[in-house]
Amino acid sequence: MPQGTEKSSTAMLSAAADLRTLIGSLPVCAMVMNASGEIVLANGACVGLFGCAEEELLGKVLFSVSFAVQQGVEKSEDDETLIDLALAGKPQVFEWTHSRDDGSEFHAEVSLSRLAVGEGSFVLAVLHDMTERLETENVLLEVLQTSDDIVRAIPSGLIIYQYEEPDKLTLLHGNPEAERLVGVAIENCKGIDLDEMWPGTKGTDLKERLIEVVNSGERFESERFHYRDDRFEGVYHIRAFALPRSRLAVAFEDVSERIAADEQIRSSEERLKMLFEYAPDACYLCDMKGSFVDGNRAAERMTGYKRDELIGKNFLKTRLLPVSQVPKAAAGFAKSVLGQPTPPEEYKLRRKDGGVVEVEISTYPVKVQGQLLVFGIARDIAERKRSESELVGAKQQIELANKQLRDALEQQKILAQEALAANRAKSEFLANMSHEIRTPMNAIIGFSEILADQDLGREERGYVNLIKDSSRSLLDLINDILDFSKVEAGKLTVEHIEFSLAELLDEIASLMRPAAERKGLCFEIRPDGVLPANIRRDPTRLRQC
């Protein structure tokens, strides 16, 4: 096999790492071939069946020796015909005999089916070793199948029919497995024709094919015979071979579960491939030397490289990582080689176009077909970095706003304290000034009262009374100022005393009249006789109004 072809095929198949695991876990021999029929992947069961190392199988054409052409398909002398049919989506099932290097032979049942990997198409071959089963059939032929004990020992369902011309096949013997599969007692079916025991065969050519086996002596096999009647339904693998005295041995087994398992394997392979291929994060596989084995579409988008451009290249020797980060990447890779996963580490990935992508890479050791590989996940963290930067900026802005708010509150506190101090100083000043003014005012009032007691003329007495009333008004004004201070301090009190309303009005008139006369106005207060003579209120507050 050309080295380039083998490398390309292996690289494409590496895209399905989980498929390798599935194939490796199968108990039967399973292998993958390219369009030329060359083996590119084989599991451990194949090594045991062929009796050689896996490396000896890779690159070989599977059906190069001892090939038995499948019955019921287009016959050809060229093995590639079956490969082409399988690649065209037409599964192939046939028997095949192989000679090992030590001279021994094994007989296998081979099924070929198409396997799509990436943009390429391969053939999945599953081989079931049927050597022991064929040996049992040969033994059965040698002893002519006349003993019920031998019939009962056959592991598959087995029924012996007697052919009676022209078209009758009556049941002679059956083993317990046949009884289990059929669901009826074989003893009750002896002498019954095949059509009566298997009504679902009517309308098929099965009976004619079985009679042909008796007449020709050739064996007949149907890999997937779909049977259905009122009792049950299933898919059976049927083998028939002639016995002496116009007898026929029919071996059959229910392969419904096996077919379902094969379908499940194919379905699982497709699902796993899609999970890998369409994962949102970049995923890749490396061998133990650090060379890329595969990558998904997200990896292509992240790096700008097509996967074929990176497969086979050592990641430490590419330009994907800056030189300063290569030692850290090498240390992480060595840890994975030793079987330990690595936690997410930040790297700056250099794209093909020269751009830089901030990524977070974590790696995991995986074992495929006994081979240790490194599975890596690279996640673009550029958006997260921007969010973190914006968060740090927002946090700094909040801290600055909080500081400004604290400074403003502190300044407000200082201003409030200064306002309180100023208010206290004002109150103290008003109290002191009021006290200083009240002392001489009391003297004036006192002397005016003394003068009022002297023998004065009418005009002089009026002047003295005016001085006395004005002094009292001025004293009341001083008291008002003190009251204002009390209002600010929340200590103002209101008196409730009885006094003459007429006298209060006269005092007000005597205070306002001189100012009015200076302006050429006449000021008079005329009671209407309705107001009471005395009231109980605070005269000082009324005077302030």
Side-chain angles (χ1 to χ4, degrees):
M1 174 182 178
Q3 183 177 2
T5 302
E6 178 182 358
K7 183 176 181 181
S8 175
S9 299
T10 304
M12 292 183 66
L13 286 174
S14 299
D18 293 299
L19 175 62
R20 289 174 173 266
T21 303
L22 287 174
I23 291 178
S25 64
L26 290 176
V28 297
C29 173
M31 57 181 65
V32 179
M33 299 174 292
N34 61 19
S36 300
E38 298 167 336
I39 301 172
V40 296
L41 175 64
N43 66 0
C46 293
V47 174
L49 184 62
F50 283 83
C52 62
E54 181 181 358
E55 291 75 15
E56 296 177 327
L57 290 174
L58 298 181
K60 290 186 176 180
V61 177
L62 178 62
F63 309 121
S64 58
V65 295
S66 303
F67 171 67
V69 179
Q70 176 192 13
Q71 294 290 335
V73 300
E74 187 177 319
K75 294 186 178 181
S76 172
E77 296 179 359
D78 188 354
D79 295 335
E80 290 183 352
T81 300
L82 296 177
I83 297 293
D84 292 338
L85 289 172
L87 287 172
K90 301 176 180 179
Q92 303 297 306
V93 181
F94 51 89
E95 291 182 6
W96 181 68
T97 303
H98 176 72
S99 298
R100 301 187 180 95
D101 293 339
D102 60 3
S104 62
E105 290 185 346
F106 70 85
H107 306 280
E109 173 192 279
V110 182
S111 63
L112 303 179
S113 58
R114 181 177 178 271
L115 178 67
V117 179
E119 298 179 357
S121 295
F122 294 81
V123 175
L124 173 64
V126 179
L127 285 72
H128 294 273
D129 188 0
M130 53 180 290
T131 303
E132 294 183 2
R133 187 167 60 193
L134 289 178
E135 289 175 354
T136 301
E137 293 177 0
N138 290 333
V139 170
L140 189 63
L141 285 171
E142 292 174 1
V143 299
L144 302 178
Q145 184 46 51
T146 58
S147 171
D148 284 342
D149 292 337
I150 295 178
V151 173
R152 294 174 65 85
I154 303 300
S156 300
L158 180 65
I159 295 178
I160 306 299
Y161 288 98
Q162 177 68 54
Y163 171 60
E164 299 176 10
E165 294 184 354
D167 59 357
K168 191 173 183 179
L169 291 172
T170 58
L171 189 148
L172 292 180
H173 303 285
N175 67 354
E177 181 63 14
E179 191 171 272
R180 185 188 69 82
L181 292 173
V182 175
V184 296
I186 295 296
E187 189 66 27
N188 299 332
C189 297
K190 288 184 177 181
I192 296 178
D193 185 59
L194 181 142
D195 288 339
E196 297 180 34
M197 183 176 179
W198 302 88
T201 60
K202 294 178 180 179
T204 71
D205 63 348
L206 178 63
K207 189 172 184 180
E208 288 76 9
R209 300 291 295 273
L210 295 178
I211 293 175
E212 183 181 346
V213 171
V214 176
N215 294 329
S216 66
E218 296 182 357
R219 288 197 291 181
F220 163 76
E221 182 174 7
S222 176
E223 292 288 342
R224 297 186 179 187
F225 182 77
H226 292 264
Y227 181 82
R228 180 179 181 181
D229 61 22
D230 295 337
R231 297 170 298 169
F232 56 86
E233 178 180 2
V235 181
Y236 294 88
H237 184 183
I238 299 176
R239 293 181 178 86
F241 50 93
L243 296 174
R245 294 184 294 180
S246 299
R247 293 181 179 181
L248 176 72
V250 178
F252 60 99
E253 57 182 315
D254 189 344
V255 294
S256 301
E257 293 184 359
R258 191 180 74 192
I259 293 174
D262 292 342
E263 291 295 330
Q264 186 176 7
I265 291 175
R266 283 192 288 270
S267 178
S268 297
E269 180 270 329
E270 289 296 328
R271 288 197 300 269
L272 291 172
K273 180 181 180 301
M274 290 182 64
L275 287 174
F276 177 84
E277 187 68 17
Y278 295 101
D281 294 327
C283 300
Y284 62 91
L285 284 168
C286 288
D287 60 20
M288 293 298 97
K289 295 180 181 180
S291 298
F292 286 107
V293 175
D294 193 20
N296 65 354
R297 298 187 181 187
E300 291 182 330
R301 292 192 298 269
M302 178 178 286
T303 63
Y305 289 94
K306 294 295 183 183
R307 67 185 74 190
D308 292 340
E309 297 180 78
L310 292 177
I311 289 176
K313 296 182 180 179
N314 191 290
F315 80 98
L316 295 176
K317 297 180 181 180
T318 63
R319 296 182 179 180
L320 289 173
L321 295 176
V323 177
S324 60
Q325 292 188 328
V326 168
K328 180 173 71 171
F333 182 79
K335 188 175 180 181
S336 295
V337 170
L338 295 176
Q340 300 177 7
T342 61
E345 293 281 356
E346 293 186 8
Y347 294 89
K348 290 187 177 179
L349 197 67
R350 184 181 293 110
R351 289 173 47 83
K352 183 178 181 180
D353 58 11
V356 176
V357 183
E358 291 184 279
V359 298
E360 189 176 70
I361 299 177
S362 54
T363 60
Y364 307 87
V366 293
K367 204 169 186 179
V368 180
Q369 297 291 320
Q371 180 184 8
L372 188 65
L373 298 177
V374 176
F375 175 66
I377 300 176
R379 177 168 295 174
D380 189 339
I381 59 172
E383 186 64 30
R384 192 185 77 188
K385 285 289 188 180
R386 284 193 293 270
S387 299
E388 290 175 353
S389 178
E390 292 174 358
L391 184 60
V392 170
K395 183 179 179 182
Q396 291 175 347
Q397 291 179 355
I398 292 173
E399 290 178 350
L400 178 60
N402 287 336
K403 182 179 181 302
Q404 293 174 345
L405 181 58
R406 287 194 298 271
D407 293 343
L409 291 174
E410 188 65 26
Q411 184 65 26
Q412 187 68 24
K413 183 178 178 181
I414 293 173
L415 293 175
Q417 291 175 348
E418 291 178 351
L420 289 174
N423 190 54
R424 285 195 299 270
K426 181 190 70 174
S427 299
E428 292 175 359
F429 171 75
L430 291 175
N432 291 333
M433 289 301 297
S434 299
H435 177 71
E436 294 298 329
I437 296 173
R438 188 183 289 117
T439 300
M441 287 306 301
N442 286 331
I444 294 173
I445 293 172
F447 279 109
S448 63
E449 290 179 351
I450 294 173
L451 286 174
D453 293 337
Q454 301 299 320
D455 186 12
L456 300 174
R458 180 178 180 182
E459 186 175 355
E460 290 81 358
R461 186 173 298 278
Y463 291 152
V464 171
N465 289 335
L466 180 58
I467 292 172
K468 182 176 64 175
D469 293 338
S470 298
S471 299
R472 288 178 177 173
S473 297
L474 184 57
L475 184 61
D476 291 338
L477 179 59
I478 294 172
N479 290 333
D480 291 342
I481 295 174
L482 290 175
D483 289 343
F484 177 75
S485 299
K486 291 179 180 180
V487 170
E488 289 186 337
K491 298 180 180 180
L492 178 65
T493 59
V494 178
E495 297 179 328
H496 287 78
I497 60 174
E498 187 174 342
F499 62 91
S500 171
L501 181 59
E503 291 179 359
L504 177 63
L505 294 176
D506 287 342
E507 289 179 7
I508 294 173
S510 62
L511 289 173
M512 302 298 292
R513 189 176 292 112
E517 290 177 350
R518 285 194 297 271
K519 295 180 181 180
L521 300 174
C522 178
F523 183 83
E524 292 183 0
I525 297 177
R526 297 177 180 177
D528 58 0
V530 178
L531 295 174
N534 295 322
I535 61 174
R536 189 175 180 82
R537 290 290 186 272
D538 188 332
T540 302
R541 304 292 171 256
L542 288 175
R543 191 180 296 110
Q544 289 174 351
C545 295

